[in-house]
Amino acid sequence: MTSSDLASRVRHVALAQPFTDQKPGTSGLRKSSRQFQTPDYLESFIEASLQVIPGVAGGTLVVGGDGRFGNRQAIEVIARMAAAHGVARIVTTTGGILSTPAASNLIRQRGAIGGIILSASHNPGGPEGDFGVKINGANGGPAPESLTDAVYAATKSLEGYRILEDGGLALDQPGEQRLGDLVVEVIDGVDDYVALMARLFDFERIAALLKSDFRVAFDAMHAVTGPYATRLFEGLLGAPAGTVRNGTPLEDFGGGHPDPNLTYAHDLAELLLQGSDYAFGAACDGDGDRNMILGRNCFVNPSDSLAVLTANATLVPGYASGLAGVARSMPTSAAVDVVAKELGIGCFETPTGWKFFGNLLDAGRITLCGEESFGTGSDHIREKDGLWAVLFWLNILAVRGCSVAEVMAEHWSRFGRHYYSRHDYEAIASEAAHGLYDRVKAMLPELVGQPFAGRTIATADDFAYSDPVDGSLTSGQGLRLLLDDGSRVVLRLSGTGTQGATLRVYLESYVPPSGDLNQDPQVALADLISAIDGLAEIKTRTGMERPTVIT
């Protein structure tokens, strides 16, 4: 197509005024589905992104999403706008279904300039749910703050956008099609990801485990991992049909909340924690980057999961030569720190947000990383990876020939136990949430040396991080009360919700191998729970008698 022919098909749409609420959070721009249905709203954010992402003209973009309401329509809009901006190729998937980890892999594999991932992660979907757009960079990881800040700045001054006049994408079968000069390549979104997993893990040993009397239940939560898990577990690894539950991606996730925790994956939790038929259970979230691990009568805390993977990494082919180092987000428990110290490898504490691991991974400083919000990953991609974590656990169990509970008991007897819990108070009126948080923040200088839950506050601060790779400083990352016995309480306000604010309270108490390793975490942490409620006046200020979610 000649440049004049293409120009004649490009429509320039003027905006009456720019949108002022399109500031991306740590995981992209998340709003209600209805907000994204506002005329020109999606187009405005995509226009700003295409103006800012380096290498757009002549470049390759990976585009796909978790299948929630609006996914297919958004892919077509993005393709038409990409064509108007001179993008040479878009790689997308059948049905537009592409997990975030698989997208990261494709970006790296194809040498793309980046990706546009359509997901609101673990938030509910459907017309009354949420939608999201996340920009990933050429390394396959979430775009750095400098780029998302530039996108936000562009949205606030945007006068209009460019889009190809007509489109019409066929996403049901693999193949190539054109929109102007843009080549849209539709591929099977599962193939490349499965091939990557086969290079990392011992599929033969895992298959032998799954074909024994070791019964597994995997809950895809009607989200993106269904096709991947079905191909992996019931296909390549030979698990019985029905191992994957809720495996068909639905626009509203079947009316559920695709968040793999004990509250929202309660059916799976009941199977494992109250029954005896299954030896292993796992679930992943909306876009496939989070995971929950369960054994028979055993819930694996995500912080402990990272520590166990680190301690057992050399049992897995992809990590047999050892680890360069590990990293965790600040709110995550220090369980992995203890393991790293014994292994003699580096351990980094970063702010929340996977992009902070990216520099460390790219620089070769770490191999594994994770966060308490059910996210774990490694240097194989630049995102957290739910199914990767599930396969890692199955590989460990296959080699060691024991149960999840036995792995945990042995780990604690060797390294001690970090009793840990997160209490989420969701949908708090923004004014009340910020009032509570700002009050505690103002108190911090006076808290050092004060008694707290039978201990003494040794440090009280607002966490800041100096990146050891590029020297950038990130501040205001959470209020920390560090106690004299190594216990901690952390307060954060979440930026990933779309209704009100979420207050997250993180509680941690360390018990050495010689201590009581078999307490209920809520009992072990009861004094810290009571003390932070008294100090922060949580019940009084939120009007909530108990957390919405406890993990």
Side-chain angles (χ1 to χ4, degrees):
M1 179 177 290
T2 67
S3 58
S4 59
D5 288 339
L6 177 61
S8 68
R9 292 179 57 190
V10 173
R11 181 158 52 99
H12 295 259
V13 180
L15 297 175
Q17 58 185 24
F19 293 98
T20 59
D21 64 343
Q22 294 190 333
K23 181 176 176 58
T26 57
S27 297
L29 180 67
R30 292 185 189 171
K31 299 289 181 181
S32 69
S33 297
R34 291 198 176 278
Q35 180 69 21
F36 267 103
Q37 296 294 310
T38 301
D40 304 324
Y41 194 84
L42 171 65
E43 290 86 347
S44 172
F45 189 73
I46 298 302
E47 174 70 27
S49 300
L50 291 173
Q51 289 183 9
V52 168
I53 296 172
V56 163
T60 295
L61 272 175
V62 172
V63 180
D66 61 14
R68 68 180 59 232
F69 177 80
N71 189 64
R72 279 184 178 242
Q73 296 90 332
I75 291 173
E76 180 166 330
V77 166
I78 292 166
R80 290 168 59 200
M81 294 186 69
H85 281 265
V87 173
R89 179 177 292 265
I90 277 182
V91 180
T92 188
T93 56
T94 50
I97 300 293
L98 182 63
S99 76
T100 292
S104 180
N105 179 50
L106 275 177
I107 292 167
R108 295 167 64 80
Q109 186 183 82
R110 294 300 190 96
I113 61 170
I116 300 178
I117 300 173
L118 305 168
S119 175
S121 187
H122 53 288
N123 292 13
E128 303 303 322
D130 294 336
F131 193 78
V133 180
K134 187 173 80 163
I135 308 301
N136 276 36
N139 73 341
E145 196 166 356
S146 58
L147 190 143
T148 57
D149 283 348
V151 171
Y152 178 47
T155 65
K156 293 190 293 182
S157 61
L158 207 62
E159 296 181 352
Y161 60 88
R162 289 180 285 161
I163 186 167
L164 205 65
E165 188 67 53
D166 48 29
L169 286 183
L171 296 178
D172 292 329
Q173 298 293 333
E176 289 190 356
Q177 52 204 291
R178 283 185 173 271
L179 292 177
D181 292 334
L182 171 71
V183 176
V184 179
E185 181 184 357
V186 181
I187 65 171
D188 182 306
V190 177
D191 288 344
D192 293 295
Y193 178 81
V194 167
L196 175 61
M197 295 300 103
R199 293 194 294 271
L200 295 174
F201 300 107
D202 189 338
F203 274 18
E204 186 175 339
R205 294 192 81 151
I206 297 173
L209 177 68
L210 297 187
K211 292 173 184 175
S212 68
D213 60 355
F214 189 89
R215 292 190 68 190
V216 170
F218 178 84
D219 189 351
M221 307 190 83
H222 285 303
V224 77
T225 56
Y228 297 84
T230 301
R231 179 89 61 88
L232 280 165
F233 299 131
E234 298 182 13
L236 291 172
L237 298 173
T243 295
V244 177
R245 297 158 179 261
N246 303 317
T248 302
L250 299 175
E251 288 192 338
D252 65 349
F253 307 116
H257 193 141
D259 196 353
N261 58 43
L262 297 176
T263 298
Y264 297 120
H266 51 82
D267 290 344
L268 179 71
E270 286 183 10
L271 281 180
L272 273 296
L273 303 182
Q274 299 180 21
S276 58
D277 292 340
Y278 291 87
F280 182 86
C284 289
D285 71 332
D287 66 329
D289 62 356
R290 300 181 187 223
N291 72 93
M292 177 174 70
I293 303 296
L294 300 164
R296 185 178 290 124
N297 301 313
C298 179
F299 164 70
V300 180
N301 185 287
S303 297
D304 280 342
S305 183
L306 175 61
V308 168
L309 299 189
T310 301
N312 292 274
T314 55
L315 301 180
V316 175
Y319 307 93
S321 61
L323 307 177
V326 293
R328 64 171 174 84
S329 64
M330 180 274 287
T332 303
S333 92
V336 74
D337 302 41
V338 179
V339 177
K341 183 177 181 180
E342 179 164 319
L343 296 179
I345 60 176
C347 183
F348 299 86
E349 182 182 35
T350 74
T352 296
W354 207 258
K355 59 190 174 186
F356 293 103
F357 295 137
N359 277 358
L360 297 169
L361 290 165
D362 288 344
R365 305 282 290 272
I366 63 172
T367 308
L368 300 187
C369 45
E371 55 191 19
E372 49 71 37
S373 54
F374 296 87
T376 330
S378 85
D379 58 358
H380 68 293
I381 57 172
R382 294 299 182 267
E383 288 278 6
K384 48 186 176 280
D385 191 346
L387 280 170
W388 169 89
V390 176
L391 289 166
F392 207 129
W393 264 95
L394 288 171
N395 204 148
I396 291 170
L397 296 172
V399 172
R400 294 187 54 173
C402 61
S403 69
V404 174
E406 288 168 336
V407 169
M408 295 312 307
E410 185 277 334
H411 184 88
W412 293 330
S413 69
R414 179 181 174 189
F415 297 105
R417 183 172 183 181
H418 290 253
Y419 285 103
Y420 181 88
S421 187
R422 187 181 94 188
H423 290 194
D424 290 1
Y425 297 83
E426 297 180 347
I428 306 171
S430 183
E431 184 177 349
H434 285 276
L436 181 157
Y437 193 84
D438 292 345
R439 173 179 171 272
V440 175
K441 183 177 179 178
M443 295 169 64
L444 291 176
E446 303 170 2
L447 292 178
V448 177
Q450 296 297 311
F452 187 88
R455 307 160 175 87
T456 300
I457 298 175
T459 301
D461 65 10
D462 192 350
F463 180 65
Y465 174 68
S466 177
D467 192 302
V469 177
D470 64 16
S472 60
L473 181 66
T474 305
S475 57
Q477 294 300 301
L479 310 183
R480 303 190 303 172
L481 302 182
L482 309 183
L483 309 183
D484 58 351
D485 68 343
S487 300
R488 299 190 307 161
V489 177
V490 175
L491 300 181
R492 294 186 68 247
L493 288 180
S494 172
T496 58
T498 62
Q499 297 181 1
T502 296
L503 173 69
R504 304 197 194 281
V505 181
Y506 307 85
L507 308 129
E508 177 180 0
S509 179
Y510 175 68
V511 174
S514 58
D516 186 351
L517 304 176
N518 297 302
Q519 301 178 67
D520 180 302
Q522 301 308 311
V523 174
L525 297 167
D527 54 350
L528 294 177
I529 294 169
S530 176
I532 192 59
D533 178 58
L535 178 70
E537 300 177 353
I538 295 173
K539 292 179 182 177
T540 302
R541 290 176 174 270
T542 66
M544 303 174 69
E545 283 298 312
R546 60 187 61 83
T548 312
V549 179
I550 296 177
T551 52

